[in-house]
Amino acid sequence: MELPQKPWLACKAWWWGGLRRPSCAILLGTMALLGLSWLQTTPSRVAVVPAITPPAPDDVGAGPVRSCSSFYRPGRSRGVVFSIERFGGVGDGKASNTEAFRRAMDHLRKFGDKGGSQLNVPKGRWVTGSFNLTSNFTLFLEKGAVILGSQDPKEWPVIEALPSYGRGRERWGGRHISLIHGDGLTDVVITGQNGSIDGQGRMWWDMWWNRTLERTRGHLLELVNSNNILISNLTFLNSPFWTIHPVYCSDVVIKNLTVLAPLHSPNTDGIDPDSSTNVCIEDCYIESGDDLVAVKSGWDQYGISMARPSSNIVIRRVSGTTPTCSGVGIGSEMSGGISNVVVEDLHVWDSAAAVRVKTDMGRGGYVSNITITNVKMERVKIPIRFSRGSNDHPDEGWDRKALPRINGVYISNVFGLSIEKAPVLEGIKGAKFEGLCLRNVSLGGLGPEAKWRCEFVAGEAYDVSPVPCLQLRSNGSKSWCKHT
């Protein structure tokens, strides 16, 4: 069965028209026509560099569509272009291409300071283990190209834990490397004509479920200590763990993606910017077994010590569903600090929460200047949630006195249908959860007995239905929230 072609595009009409989700048949037909509009078709196996349209300046451009894609600064066309077939690749869905991809990257690394390079992946099914990218490089998946993650765990080697986590997120010690990996890179483009990268994650999910997992699962794509990154026009499927994970990165654009995983698959977050700055996530459709997007910055004492925040992050026109988690999550790994985040035009349905701020004792860190606006949701359990975590710590060295600080969370223009419960805002005793501002929030489907649940939080609310909790009713004539 052919994969859906950019369902997020079709969702735009549904978003504003109030229609139900389009069928797969409609998506396939419509997206087949639209999927090639951003990149022009290039002949298979021909060494031609596809033209990448320079992004418009942030939040400006023709028409009403705003974009933050100028975070990525395109360089000149790549100096050389090769096909994976040149390095012995076979796209039959059976042969291992691990060595072919690694040979290709070893060869193309030589052109980093000579105009850069591009590796084309033609139509076919290309099984591979993990491989490392290089700088001044484009990975281009042609139409019909599918990269498949190896089913041999040994082809996902174990690497060191991230210093802001201190250990693997799930298990002691190191962690399995991502299928596509890069460390210390600059100017990397991962794009194509809606080709696919499929982690074939069920093997890893089974190990998680039956408790035979020895090391933390690998991501589908992880870039570390890298800058000037563009990831676009692709479908990512069935990640073993978090799908796309830029960590310690800057100037990252992630746009026009479809990210899919079974709704019951464990911890298959869609996009997780982590201790990164200047990150643009826009026009993405995500179905996963965890948060669609989660902003992170390190875990307890390790994140506090590294003090590498996530800041200047824009999440725009993201839509999708997750039955267990949230459309956009802040934390819970937020010990390095999270600030200056904008979320707008978010559409979530059949999910546990639309937006959620997750913290815990021992996290320390801060969350500040978060703006969330223009949110539409249907059949969501808890629309807006602040949660205290679940006593989740890397080891016994966590500091019980390290409390998070939350200040300046602005939520406006929220509309929900068939909502199950009123918002839940749970702070932590002794911590500062203040400066909350909610305006123009309408949550339908709740009965007259529905009441907000609030603890250890302070702020204001205007034009909010149902009536908010007492902690949000300090709305005097000099209100900072009312006139923001």
Side-chain angles (χ1 to χ4, degrees), residues 41-51 77-87 108 117-122 140 142:
T41 303
T42 57
S44 179
R45 301 170 179 79
V46 177
V48 176
V49 181
S77 297
R78 305 306 189 195
V80 296
V81 182
F82 291 95
S83 167
I84 187 61
E85 293 174 312
R86 172 77 176 268
F87 302 93
L108 297 178
S117 59
Q118 174 167 312
L119 181 65
N120 284 353
V121 182
F140 187 88
E142 298 177 10

Side-chain angles (χ1 to χ4, degrees), residues 267-283:
N267 313 113
T268 50
D269 300 35
I271 303 169
D272 288 3
D274 195 340
S275 292
S276 294
T277 59
N278 298 338
V279 179
C280 170
I281 301 168
E282 61 184 19
D283 298 316

Side-chain angles (χ1 to χ4, degrees), residues 9 28 53 126 137 201 260 326 339 353 360 373-374 424 433 442 447 472:
L9 288 169
L28 288 169
T53 304
W126 308 85
F137 171 76
L260 303 174
S326 55
S339 65
D360 206 346
T373 188
N374 298 341
V424 175
F433 281 60
S442 178
L472 301 180

Side-chain angles (χ1 to χ4, degrees), residues 163-166 169 297-307 332-337 359-365 391-400 402 404:
S164 57
Y165 284 75
R169 187 61 181 86
S297 69
W299 195 13
D300 283 10
Q301 71 270 28
Y302 300 104
I304 294 171
S305 176
M306 189 166 185
S332 70
E333 305 91 334
M334 39 67 66
S335 302
T359 62
D360 206 346
M361 294 181 62
R363 288 291 192 265
N391 195 28
D392 177 25
H393 307 287
D395 53 43
E396 291 302 316
W398 65 281
D399 182 359
R400 286 158 177 79

Side-chain angles (χ1 to χ4, degrees), residues 58-59 66-69 71 252-254 271 273 276-283 293 295 311-318 328 339-344 371:
D58 185 26
D59 287 343
R66 287 149 50 98
S67 176
C68 49
S69 58
F71 287 177
V252 179
V253 174
I254 301 171
I271 303 169
S276 294
T277 59
N278 298 338
V279 179
C280 170
I281 301 168
E282 61 184 19
D283 298 316
V293 177
V295 183
S311 63
N312 299 339
I313 295 175
V314 179
I315 302 165
R316 179 179 285 142
R317 297 186 297 275
V318 169
V328 172
S339 65
N340 301 335
V341 177
V342 173
V343 180
E344 62 181 26
T371 300

